[in-house]
Amino acid sequence: MKKKFLSMTMAAVLLSFSLAACGGDDASKKSEPADQTEKTDDAEKEAPDDSADAPEEKDAETPEEPAGGAPSDLANKDKPLVWFNRQPSNSSTGELDMAALSFNDNTYYVGFDANQGAELQGTMVKDYIEANIDSIDRNGDGVIGYVLAIGDIGHNDSIARTRGIRKALGTGVDKDGDINSDPVGTNTDGSAAAVQDGKIEINGKSYVVRELASQEMKNSAGATWDAATAGNAIGTWSSSFGEEIDVVVSNNDGMGMSMFNAWSKDNKVPTFGYDANNDAVAAIAEGYGGTISQHADVQAYLTLRVLRNALDGVDVDTGIGTADEAGNVLSEDVYKYNADERSYYALNVAVTADNYQDFTDSTKVFEPVSNQLDESAHAVKKVWLNIYNASDNFLSSTYQPLLQNYDDILNLEVDYIGGDGQTESNITNRLGNPGQYDAFAINMVKTDNAASYTALLSQ
């Protein structure tokens, strides 16, 4: 959709007003994908002239309030904010940061149901073992050995997925009332304290299930969920005890595919990931065991839709559980809302050899919410949105392309900022003028660091 721009005269008037009210400087334009989003010093200095589409000019003393939107002088601390993909929380305890989740009346979180997805992944792996028990024990020792790539030991989603696998396979042990999610290092003898040997009985025969090794995939620079580190890890594990590895499990597809391509594909060892990235779904035809779709198409829509509704001043459920005037609506089987947590969660779907052909395009918009909004009723608004790591496979290859499909549908002009995956300052340093934006969507590096952003918006 081609967006309309104000005339030079109108742009100057509004810019003057923005400077007086918010301390703003340059206007930004919609950026390229996350790995190309470093801003330059000579960013856009003036709005293009399109006088044919320009509305009637108004006095600086009486600026026009956009239809359905907030006044142009709204304080940054009061502008709509969505946290996404990383829920503000304590990385040690998992306790939600409700101060961040209720930063203002239009603050929400958008993600997916981590526990439901974790249970699905664990069940998927267990079902595969049971269905293929005659061939899966590669060395015939009666022990079904698996290795586990852990993304970030302080990330709620990573913790949930590790627990889900251990619960399903019977290898989990209690720690403070829940399953221990700590990495075990190497555990080929079954003596690690963080896990235990599980047991599974199939066709009257008992097998031991053992977590042979697990580690956080963190590189030397500090970035977690690191695919290259996972590829190196499977190389080390396979050279030390490769014949004992019957299954490879990963907290995400980025790491899973790195291990699959480095070793398990050639050795015909089923590998299971999470995210349903295009390359992982395609690899199921080549022996990748399966993955979990966290309905990224629904998540991306919700991320921007919640902002759109707040900017329009309508009920937050519009176009979500209640159809909007264009017919966009989500059914209850693809998402849920937890009012106490101010959080929207997409529901997960297991992707296996039985249904993977239905998931080959992870960047396709979800059909029930693909209808264009009328710009006359939903004026174009500017959104600042960051991806915590421009190199993250899921976020850069699946989530951001989906966001870029939805931003046009929802009449949102979005600046996409790609971080380095290591420090919040790499992101916050590029939000030097929040006054030029109408809303914000934030994807933190660490779940503990919401205050780094709210402090900036509170200035």
Side-chain angles (χ1 to χ4, degrees), residues 81-159:
L81 166 63
V82 166
W83 309 98
F84 71 97
N85 184 255
R86 278 164 162 66
Q87 193 169 27
S89 57
N90 185 303
S91 61
S92 297
T93 66
E95 181 182 1
L96 296 185
D97 180 355
M98 292 309 300
L101 289 165
S102 55
F103 176 61
N104 62 36
D105 290 342
N106 288 315
T107 297
Y108 296 91
Y109 170 72
V110 171
F112 66 101
D113 190 330
N115 292 325
Q116 180 247 354
E119 291 177 5
L120 266 182
Q121 188 188 33
T123 300
M124 175 177 62
V125 175
K126 183 183 179 185
D127 288 348
Y128 186 96
I129 291 172
E130 291 176 344
N132 295 276
I133 194 62
D134 292 339
S135 59
I136 203 166
D137 185 7
R138 298 171 65 229
N139 63 358
D141 63 354
V143 177
I144 309 302
Y146 72 93
V147 294
L148 174 64
I150 296 175
D152 179 347
I153 58 174
H155 191 301
N156 280 356
D157 296 343
S158 187
I159 291 170

Side-chain angles (χ1 to χ4, degrees), residues 410-453:
L410 298 174
N411 300 328
L412 296 173
E413 183 180 340
V414 182
D415 279 352
Y416 294 94
I417 307 299
D420 62 5
Q422 300 166 35
T423 61
E424 306 294 349
S425 61
N426 180 262
I427 299 166
T428 56
N429 286 346
R430 286 183 279 170
L431 185 54
N433 181 24
Q436 67 181 308
Y437 297 99
D438 298 300
F440 308 93
I442 295 174
N443 174 222
M444 296 174 289
V445 175
K446 292 291 184 182
T447 61
D448 307 86
N449 292 338
S452 299
Y453 299 88

Side-chain angles (χ1 to χ4, degrees), residues 177-201:
D178 213 329
I179 292 176
N180 193 335
S181 61
D182 296 339
V184 302
T186 301
N187 180 46
T188 53
D189 62 357
S191 63
V195 292
Q196 64 182 1
D197 280 352
K199 288 183 172 53
I200 188 169
E201 185 168 322

